[in-house]
Amino acid sequence: MNKINKLFAESRNRKLLSLYFCAGCPTLEGTADVIRTMQRRGIDMIEVGMPFSDPLADGPVIQSAGTVALRNGMTTQRLFEQLRQIKDEITIPLVWMGYLNVVMHMGFEPFFQACVEAGISGVIIPDLPFEDYLSDVKPLADRYDLRVIMMITPETSEERIRLIDQHTDGFIYMVSSASITGAQSSFGDAKLDYFRRIDSMQLKNPRMIGFGISNRQTLQAAQNHAAGAIIGSKFVTLLNETGNAEEAIDALFAALNDK
């Protein structure tokens, strides 16, 4: 069974926490240590960000991390090699997150094959058109038992959400707002209404809420209306400040538990 499906099947009675970090930042060779540390500290799932020179969906924190990673020399092939070296140690799902240009440069089939060899269970490609996913990408992903995770926003129509739910597997990435990534101190009424609206649709796929989660209030709001939460910018900031995954996770847990 795919590790993503296994995680959600075995975790129905608790809320999940997924963390994002940008491979190659703050150091080129730190990828393995960050992943090992996250797993040891009880993180349920990891999004491994592939830096890109034109990250449309990313806010300033993740854009800056990507710039550092690229300057450090991170490449797609180097990331896959780093992941292959720790594949047998990692039991939690790894989700590759990056942009379509990176994938098309390799070709979808070589890319998916490299993902499997590196122990990746799913991919998030924010600028992949859903129609192209259905016609060209899904058959290949199914062959390699990889989950292609689709995003929805407050502006996504109910018809499109149900179409995504019908034709994907793993989980749906529920973006808290239509804006770029970035930490927020609270979610307003409009976002909470959006969470409740999607919750009431009773989709077959579990949902993870991301973008803007940085403290106890935003974490609880996300967990109350989904299977769990995804934290990116807050953790990336702490990792850059500390330069140490262990200290960054300590600081993150302190922020999430602070009343």
Side-chain angles (χ1 to χ4, degrees):
M1 179 185 288
N2 182 284
K3 287 182 181 179
I4 294 173
N5 298 90
K6 186 172 185 286
L7 172 65
F8 286 99
E10 295 177 350
S11 307
R12 291 174 179 163
N13 296 322
R14 67 183 182 88
K15 298 299 182 179
L16 303 178
L17 179 61
S18 177
L19 297 186
Y20 166 97
F21 79 104
C22 181
C25 180
T27 65
L28 178 62
E29 301 300 334
T31 303
D33 178 65
V34 173
I35 292 173
R36 289 190 189 107
T37 303
M38 286 188 188
Q39 177 171 274
R40 187 175 67 252
R41 297 296 301 271
I43 303 305
D44 297 296
M45 183 164 55
I46 301 171
E47 287 182 24
V48 183
M50 178 64 216
F52 184 56
S53 57
D54 188 23
L56 299 176
D58 295 328
V61 169
I62 294 177
Q63 283 189 21
S64 177
T67 299
V68 170
L70 291 172
R71 287 175 179 167
N72 285 344
M74 179 54 69
T75 65
T76 306
Q77 295 298 339
R78 182 164 280 164
L79 173 57
F80 281 137
E81 176 59 30
Q82 290 178 344
L83 295 178
R84 282 195 294 269
Q85 291 177 5
I86 60 170
K87 177 182 177 181
D88 294 339
E89 303 174 47
I90 305 304
T91 58
I92 63 176
L94 299 182
V95 178
W96 183 94
M97 186 169 186
Y99 288 88
L100 184 60
N101 184 279
V102 176
V103 181
M104 292 183 69
H105 184 72
M106 286 188 67
F108 270 99
E109 186 152 14
F111 172 75
F112 285 153
Q113 184 174 352
C115 284
V116 172
E117 293 170 354
I120 292 168
S121 299
V123 299
I124 300 171
I125 309 171
D127 54 343
L128 172 65
F130 187 67
E131 290 72 17
D132 291 350
Y133 158 75
L134 284 178
S135 62
D136 301 324
V137 178
K138 185 178 187 300
L140 271 176
D142 290 346
R143 186 189 310 167
Y144 285 93
D145 194 30
L146 282 168
R147 303 295 173 259
V148 179
I149 308 304
M150 288 289 165
M151 292 176 157
I152 64 172
T153 75
E155 278 67 46
T156 308
S157 69
E158 179 173 339
E159 179 183 10
R160 175 53 65 98
I161 292 170
R162 293 201 181 279
L163 194 64
I164 289 171
D165 189 47
Q166 179 182 353
H167 293 286
T168 61
D169 187 19
F171 69 95
I172 292 174
Y173 192 131
M174 193 170 158
V175 178
S176 68
S177 69
S179 63
I180 57 176
T181 58
Q184 300 174 29
S185 61
S186 64
F187 291 138
D189 290 341
K191 290 179 183 178
L192 295 177
D193 287 343
Y194 157 60
F195 296 166
R196 287 188 284 265
R197 175 170 60 85
I198 304 303
D199 204 19
S200 70
M201 291 176 66
Q202 298 184 324
L203 303 175
K204 73 176 178 66
N205 277 298
R207 304 172 317 283
M208 295 286 285
I209 296 178
F211 284 45
I213 298 169
S214 63
N215 57 21
R216 184 173 181 173
Q217 183 177 0
T218 49
L219 176 67
Q220 288 183 340
Q223 291 180 334
N224 286 342
H225 297 285
I230 299 167
I231 298 178
S233 294
K234 180 69 173 180
F235 179 70
V236 170
T237 296
L238 294 170
L239 186 59
N240 287 338
E241 288 176 352
T242 63
N244 180 285
E246 196 84 48
E247 293 178 15
I249 291 176
D250 283 341
L252 178 66
F253 285 168
L256 296 177
N257 290 319
D258 187 9
K259 296 182 180 180

